[in-house]
Amino acid sequence: MSNKYFMGRSSMIGDNLSALPTATYIKKIDPDAYITWVIGKKCSSFAPLLINHPDLDKIFVLDGEESMESNRDWNEFYSNTFQYNINPQHLDNKYPKERNIYLESFLMQGFSEKQWAQLTPEEQIPKLVKWWQPVKRPFGDKKTIFFTGMPNFGRESKRWISKQYLEKLVLRLVRLGYCVIQSGGEQDETWFSGQEIEDVSICSLNYKRVNELSFFDQIKIANECDCIVGSDSGMSLVCGAYSLQQVSLIPIH
């Protein structure tokens, strides 16, 4: 009878993705392992992206936003041979200066750097499977740049660039002939106003907003674009897991 593992991350999409190498390690040392990957309801939009992942046997979305709350959650927890902390804490202050996000997540689960070294460089970086049928490219064969959501400008000044910078960058790209897609949730601010929106309207055939789409649908469109532009976010980590060419805009501090 195979060992059953209860593991994953329950809070944010980026955290959940960065922890996937722990599942790869478990499968490497215990090939018959049955891994239940846990996601909090808060980041349940990430669940479809895990379909057909080679190291995961079951995807379990908690009833709780970030932790186990219901009898169903706890029954799943206790039905496994090994249970890992789905809300681990950083061990020290060496991240991110001395460790990348993948190693940090691995250590936070209680593993060691010696165990991490048993993974190949390819295994240390999470990969996601593009299991769906390709969607239609929004602008056909035109070179298209996909801007991921930049929510709540100024909320975390060390992680988000300014709205003004994005507006100037997108306008410049559109005028140079690139097609631009701006994605994000409904909470994201409109990038353009006044004269600037008139300038964009002139080139409206090369500019689209897809804020009304789900996270999953945005990922499907991103996979058909030529370049992704994002910030320090879960969306950028997901795009990296699909090996998409991208640029991350990080403020200088």
Side-chain angles (χ1 to χ4, degrees), residues 138 144-150 179-184 191 210 213 215 217-230 235 239 244-247:
T144 303
I145 301 174
F146 185 92
F147 276 74
T148 67
M150 310 275 182
C179 298
V180 173
I181 299 176
Q182 176 197 348
S183 76
W191 285 1
V210 292
L213 298 182
F215 180 80
D217 286 334
Q218 289 177 48
I219 291 296
K220 289 194 288 186
I221 289 179
N223 270 272
E224 300 305 318
C225 294
D226 300 287
C227 183
I228 315 299
V229 178
M235 174 71 86
C239 289
L244 303 179
Q245 179 171 277
Q246 68 172 306
V247 175

Side-chain angles (χ1 to χ4, degrees), residues 116-179:
W116 178 254
Q118 295 180 39
L119 295 173
T120 66
E122 291 76 22
E123 292 170 336
Q124 291 175 353
I125 300 176
K127 296 290 189 294
L128 292 173
V129 179
K130 189 168 70 171
W131 53 267
W132 60 87
Q133 292 296 319
V135 299
K136 182 179 179 181
R137 284 177 59 93
F139 293 105
D141 293 332
K142 295 180 180 179
K143 290 291 184 182
T144 303
I145 301 174
F146 185 92
F147 276 74
T148 67
M150 310 275 182
N152 302 324
F153 293 101
R155 181 190 63 179
E156 297 179 76
S157 59
K158 293 183 178 180
R159 301 182 69 177
W160 307 107
I161 59 177
S162 72
K163 175 175 177 287
Q164 291 74 24
Y165 177 84
L166 284 171
E167 290 173 345
K168 291 179 180 178
L169 177 59
V170 171
L171 283 170
R172 177 68 172 164
L173 289 170
V174 171
R175 288 166 181 162
L176 286 173
Y178 292 97
C179 298

Side-chain angles (χ1 to χ4, degrees), residues 5-233:
Y5 295 80
F6 180 95
M7 60 196 315
R9 292 292 297 274
S10 67
S11 55
M12 307 297 287
I13 288 174
D15 292 341
N16 204 291
L17 175 68
S18 64
L20 280 175
T22 60
T24 302
Y25 174 76
I26 292 297
K27 285 287 189 178
K28 194 164 189 174
I29 64 171
D30 186 1
D32 295 326
Y34 185 92
I35 296 178
T36 295
W37 195 257
V38 185
I39 302 176
K41 189 162 59 176
K42 181 179 179 180
C43 63
S44 58
S45 58
F46 181 60
L49 304 183
L50 297 176
I51 293 176
N52 289 349
H53 191 285
D55 298 320
L56 307 182
D57 299 290
K58 180 178 180 179
I59 303 166
F60 185 82
V61 178
L62 295 171
D63 290 327
E65 289 291 309
E66 298 187 39
S67 59
M68 292 172 286
E69 294 182 2
S70 68
N71 288 334
R72 170 180 167 272
D73 293 345
W74 285 106
N75 288 338
E76 182 66 33
F77 177 81
Y78 287 118
S79 69
N80 287 270
T81 315
F82 300 100
Q83 299 94 359
Y84 287 85
N85 184 0
I86 59 175
N87 288 306
Q89 300 296 317
H90 292 283
L91 304 179
D92 50 44
N93 60 358
K94 293 184 179 181
Y95 169 78
K97 292 184 178 180
E98 298 182 26
R99 295 191 291 260
N100 67 34
I101 190 171
Y102 309 122
L103 173 56
E104 181 70 6
S105 294
F106 191 79
L107 298 180
M108 288 167 68
Q109 291 287 345
F111 298 104
S112 67
E113 292 198 37
K114 184 176 180 180
Q115 290 170 305
W116 178 254
Q118 295 180 39
L119 295 173
T120 66
E122 291 76 22
E123 292 170 336
Q124 291 175 353
I125 300 176
K127 296 290 189 294
L128 292 173
V129 179
K130 189 168 70 171
W131 53 267
W132 60 87
Q133 292 296 319
V135 299
K136 182 179 179 181
R137 284 177 59 93
F139 293 105
D141 293 332
K142 295 180 180 179
K143 290 291 184 182
T144 303
I145 301 174
F146 185 92
F147 276 74
T148 67
M150 310 275 182
N152 302 324
F153 293 101
R155 181 190 63 179
E156 297 179 76
S157 59
K158 293 183 178 180
R159 301 182 69 177
W160 307 107
I161 59 177
S162 72
K163 175 175 177 287
Q164 291 74 24
Y165 177 84
L166 284 171
E167 290 173 345
K168 291 179 180 178
L169 177 59
V170 171
L171 283 170
R172 177 68 172 164
L173 289 170
V174 171
R175 288 166 181 162
L176 286 173
Y178 292 97
C179 298
V180 173
I181 299 176
Q182 176 197 348
S183 76
E186 294 180 356
Q187 77 280 10
D188 293 351
E189 294 186 29
T190 301
W191 285 1
F192 307 105
S193 58
Q195 180 60 44
E196 290 173 334
I197 193 64
E198 294 179 12
D199 292 343
V200 173
S201 296
I202 295 173
C203 305
S204 60
L205 294 179
N206 291 342
Y207 176 79
K208 287 185 179 180
R209 290 188 58 155
V210 292
N211 291 49
E212 71 278 6
L213 298 182
S214 69
F215 180 80
F216 178 47
D217 286 334
Q218 289 177 48
I219 291 296
K220 289 194 288 186
I221 289 179
N223 270 272
E224 300 305 318
C225 294
D226 300 287
C227 183
I228 315 299
V229 178
S231 59
D232 179 13
S233 67

